[in-house]
Amino acid sequence: MLMGQRRARLEAKGRQAAFQAYVAMDRRAPVSELAGQLLRKAFPDHWSFLLGEIALYSFAVLVLTGSYLTLYFDPSLAQVTYAGSYKPLQGLLVTKAYDSTLHMSFDVRGGLLIRQMHHWSALVFVAAIGVHMLRIFFTGAFRRPREINWVIGVTLFLLALLEGFCGYSLPDDLLSGTGLRTAHTIVMSIPVVGTYLAFFLWGGSYPGTELSQRLYIVHVLFAPGLLIALIAVHLFMVVYLKHTQWAAPGKTNRNAVGQPMYPSFAARSTGLSLIVFAVTALLSAVAQINPVWAYGPYVADQVSTDAQPDWYVGFLEGALRLMPGVETDVAGHTLMWNVLLPAVVLPALLFVVLYLYPVFERWVTGDLVEHHLCDRPRDRPVRTGLGVAGIVFYAVLLMAGGNDVIAYEFGVSVNGLTWLFRIAVLVGPVLAYLLSRRICLALQLHERQLYREGEETGMVRQDLAGGMGESHAGLDREQRYRLLVRELPRPLEHPGPQAPPRRRLRASLSAWYYRDRVELPVTPEERLQITGRTADPVSGGADGEG
């Protein structure tokens, strides 16, 4: 009885102290206002908006498992004799980095599971960011006012690639060492400064003595710190700018409709986080990944067959294999085009395009309106075609990165396969663009037919004259809303042959982007309602001819 009363008094004092602390904070900062806004924030309930959360929770798994592995890993390249429990390597001279990786895998309780969870979550993290960015691209969620968040997302993707490469290179096994040898060649191919830069990064001539320590610092300190900071800014911008949403009754360009932060979204998001943790643990328990003991320690004059990096940098391997061996001697200096173009220029162009695409599309459109409704990919056939072309280009390079394995498994010539990929990497994206654009326009034509005639009921009737016809049912309210409420920019008017080249180029690109379109037969009243639902939430519109 006395213990119960004492516990009740302690709980009351604790609640009173917490309340007083909250009041003290609220008097000095807008705690109540911000908390109320956050708890009332509307989150969309469509599955595609969960892709970013998968990336977030995969990163949480990365941080937790990486913190555990840091306690046991030694990045030193000093030579030791392996005396661990893996008998095939006992007595072999290895580096401390490789020795500590084997120690974690075989002699630390749960170490192999944590190692594999760390590796699998890294793959899921990069994949989730990539698919999330594709969703944003195809739905136009990068447009005003979210251009800054797009730039942050591209930077997060770049940092994730860097973080993955650093972690992949740390164990000093034969596979990761081969990757570092390739990286050294890539750095050396940079004109003028390549030799000096490679000497600085590796701490001397290859294989050097400093790179492993530097990669470790980048992997456990700099890259994670930047990732955490940018993720925090990214989430703050999402909350501040609000999510985009799919067109549906009650959802316009001027409001945000969805489930509240608490309790609906919080419960669903918590469940998703547990699923991500569980799936990562299950994969790590049943699917082996990166068995460094099977590769053996890295020796500079050795390389194994079937050596490919993780999938997210596999396109660089493919580009290197497809590029013909072209070199040029200029004033006693060798320009290695066969390495420089596929491994330096290509990824640089890729990220330049990703960073600048929102600016380019806004310039082509002449649009300064805020957009909070998602585009359906079929309504933007050129943008969709460009996105699919990029995916096909990447996929061909990724497959080319394993041309030796494919040739071995299917019993074909590796040289013939290389030429096939060389043709496919040029022709494939063009065909993908044309086909995707055509499919988008065909889907629009189908929707216009649906809007005119309604959906087929499957019932065939015969009229008095003996003719046969199928009956149709009108579309429901949600279907009509989804078809009607969409934004289809019109191409800019051509300024004439006397206009400056910049304006004529802009008009030509705008015509290419938005000339092909399928209009729905709407009434003037419906058009007025569509304009109201897609109107700019703030003052704005099309810019001039700038």
Side-chain angles (χ1 to χ4, degrees), residues 90-220:
Q90 286 180 354
L92 195 65
L93 199 63
V94 299
T95 61
K96 288 186 177 180
Y98 188 71
D99 180 76
S100 61
T101 304
L102 294 178
H103 174 71
M104 284 188 294
S105 302
F106 296 111
D107 301 314
V108 175
R109 186 179 295 273
L112 182 58
L113 177 65
I114 299 299
R115 263 198 68 231
Q116 300 208 146
M117 285 185 66
H118 191 69
H119 203 125
W120 274 117
S121 58
L123 299 182
V124 174
F125 177 57
V126 179
I129 292 178
V131 178
H132 179 58
M133 289 181 62
L134 288 176
R135 197 277 299 176
I136 292 173
F137 176 82
F138 284 118
T139 62
F142 55 82
R143 295 171 297 174
R144 183 180 181 187
R146 297 176 178 83
E147 300 98 329
I148 294 177
N149 234 11
W150 170 261
V151 171
I152 293 174
V154 175
T155 307
L156 283 171
F157 185 62
L158 180 59
L159 284 173
L161 297 181
L162 174 64
E163 177 78 339
F165 174 75
C166 292
Y168 175 86
S169 305
L170 286 177
D172 197 42
D173 59 286
L174 186 58
L175 188 60
S176 66
T178 303
L180 284 178
R181 187 67 182 92
T182 304
H184 183 268
T185 304
I186 293 172
V187 174
M188 290 278 289
S189 72
I190 301 175
V192 182
V193 300
T195 304
Y196 305 100
L197 187 59
F199 195 87
F200 168 75
L201 292 176
W202 270 261
S205 300
Y206 187 84
T209 57
E210 303 293 334
L211 185 65
S212 181
Q213 299 280 353
R214 291 169 177 172
L215 288 178
Y216 183 68
I217 295 300
V218 172
H219 184 69
V220 304

Side-chain angles (χ1 to χ4, degrees), residues 57-70:
Y57 297 132
S58 299
F59 181 70
V61 178
L62 273 173
V63 172
L64 292 175
T65 54
S67 300
Y68 181 81
L69 296 177
T70 304

Side-chain angles (χ1 to χ4, degrees), residues 150 348-358 360:
W150 170 261
L349 286 177
L350 168 66
F351 279 96
V352 167
V353 170
L354 289 176
Y355 276 116
L356 297 183
Y357 184 82
F360 170 75

